[in-house]
Amino acid sequence: MEKVELIYEGKAKKLWSTKDKDRLIVEFKDDLTAFNAQKKSQEAGKGALNCEISADLFDLLAQNGIRTHLIERIDATHQLVKRVDIIKIEVVIRNIATGSLTRRLGIKEGTKLPFALAELYYKDDRLEDPIINDEHAQIMNLATQNEINALKDIGRKINGVLSAFFADRALTLVDFKVEFGRGDYGEILLSDEISPDSCRFWDARSGEKLDKDRFRQDLGGVKVAYEEVLKRIKDKR
Ligand code: TMP
Ligand code: ASP
């Protein structure tokens, strides 16, 4: 399957049409952005790392009953995916308080939450992806209440699968963001990516951050951290 036309360019990925109207090609870029692209950089090889990490995690989730848009990884930086009608809601699942949760509510950094917290954000760069609740999502016709319930349920199920998988690899899944689309029959499909750009991973022993916080907080060693995450995914223990 080959790229035909560029149909969308986001901060970290490009989306191409193919000869098959039901299939798209996703290209993972080396661009790194944070704080709604107020901070920008590039990291050679980052696109390939996220392409492989995300494909491996989507395969793992598919094996655990989560439906995804992924058909196959084509090469180092490209994936073939089903075309979906993207739902303009970002679902964030949190196990430990950090990032915007601590800033917004003053919950102490590193607090283990009593249950996995599901949050919704309106996917709109112009508005800087504001946090919303179920009723906002319904009023704005982003999704039905049944769909919102499904997004949170699937988000929590993903959290269960990935938390256990990474715990076996001495990584703590602190929080992550996922996006979904509707397939041909309205079925909800996990879309976009799951990678160190969209998750927080802390080394279970040292607490070292192995994700995009290294870029957000100028800690250095971004690529080494992403390589370490991929290595642990591949590490069958
Ligand atoms: P936050 O603490 O900054 O709200 O981030 C929560 C999680 O969501 C974290 O794992 C990073 C991820 N995330 C994205 O993938 N994209 C975004 O635009 C933001 C703000 C967070
Ligand atoms: N993804 C957002 C950006 O690129 C924010 C973030 O991940 O911190 O600006």
Side-chain angles (χ1 to χ4, degrees):
M1 196 67 76
E2 278 161 27
K3 295 176 191 171
V4 174
E5 191 190 346
L6 181 66
I7 55 175
Y8 176 78
E9 177 158 6
K11 292 186 287 248
K13 293 185 292 296
K14 289 181 184 170
L15 216 48
W16 300 83
S17 63
T18 67
K19 275 183 234 151
D20 182 341
K21 67 171 180 40
D22 298 324
R23 293 176 175 204
L24 300 177
I25 290 177
V26 183
E27 177 180 347
F28 285 70
K29 306 197 293 183
D30 286 339
D31 296 347
L32 267 169
T33 68
F35 315 117
N36 202 21
Q38 287 175 50
K39 180 169 177 171
K40 285 188 202 172
S41 185
Q42 280 212 327
E43 187 75 41
K46 193 269 296 188
L49 285 162
N50 278 1
C51 183
E52 185 166 4
I53 290 170
S54 193
D56 284 357
L57 296 179
F58 275 43
D59 285 345
L60 171 74
L61 291 167
Q63 286 158 23
N64 283 275
I66 309 272
R67 303 181 71 173
T68 87
H69 75 158
L70 180 67
I71 299 167
E72 60 176 356
R73 186 164 69 103
I74 303 170
D75 64 22
T77 52
H78 295 91
Q79 295 177 358
L80 186 65
V81 303
K82 291 182 199 158
R83 184 193 280 269
V84 300
D85 165 28
I86 201 82
I87 297 173
K88 290 182 73 174
I89 296 174
E90 299 190 349
V91 179
V92 169
I93 306 287
R94 301 179 188 267
N95 298 305
I96 295 174
T98 189
S100 69
L101 183 67
T102 58
R103 284 198 299 277
R104 193 180 328 110
L105 299 180
I107 300 173
K108 193 167 167 282
E109 167 81 22
T111 305
K112 190 175 172 348
L113 302 177
F115 55 87
L117 172 65
E119 295 176 334
L120 309 178
Y121 292 81
Y122 177 36
K123 188 174 154 57
D124 186 320
D125 282 342
R126 281 175 312 128
L127 298 174
E128 298 180 12
D129 298 347
I131 191 164
I132 56 172
N133 67 20
D134 298 30
E135 293 180 9
H136 294 114
Q138 284 183 63
I139 285 168
M140 294 194 293
N141 283 322
L142 303 179
T144 65
Q145 187 61 51
N146 277 345
E147 286 178 326
I148 296 163
N149 294 343
L151 300 188
K152 291 183 189 175
D153 284 351
I154 302 168
R156 289 199 181 92
K157 186 162 179 205
I158 292 170
N159 186 47
V161 173
L162 294 186
S163 292
F165 177 81
F166 283 111
D168 276 352
R169 288 156 176 81
L171 280 179
T172 303
L173 180 62
V174 174
D175 55 30
F176 62 93
K177 181 266 301 175
V178 276
E179 298 183 24
F180 298 92
R182 300 180 188 93
D184 286 345
Y185 309 100
E187 74 277 24
I188 304 280
L189 300 176
L190 174 64
S191 303
D192 192 53
E193 68 178 287
I194 302 183
S195 73
D197 271 8
S198 61
C199 303
R200 287 193 175 97
F201 297 113
W202 292 351
D203 182 276
R205 295 184 196 100
S206 67
E208 190 187 2
K209 296 176 199 253
L210 295 169
D211 56 62
K212 198 162 90 172
D213 271 351
R214 299 206 71 83
F215 171 65
R216 295 190 189 96
Q217 300 172 12
D218 295 316
L219 300 173
V222 175
K223 191 174 171 192
V224 176
Y226 284 41
E227 283 168 347
E228 181 62 25
V229 171
L230 179 60
K231 186 171 150 262
R232 296 208 198 173
I233 289 171
K234 300 288 187 195
D235 209 7
K236 295 200 181 60
R237 270 183 291 168

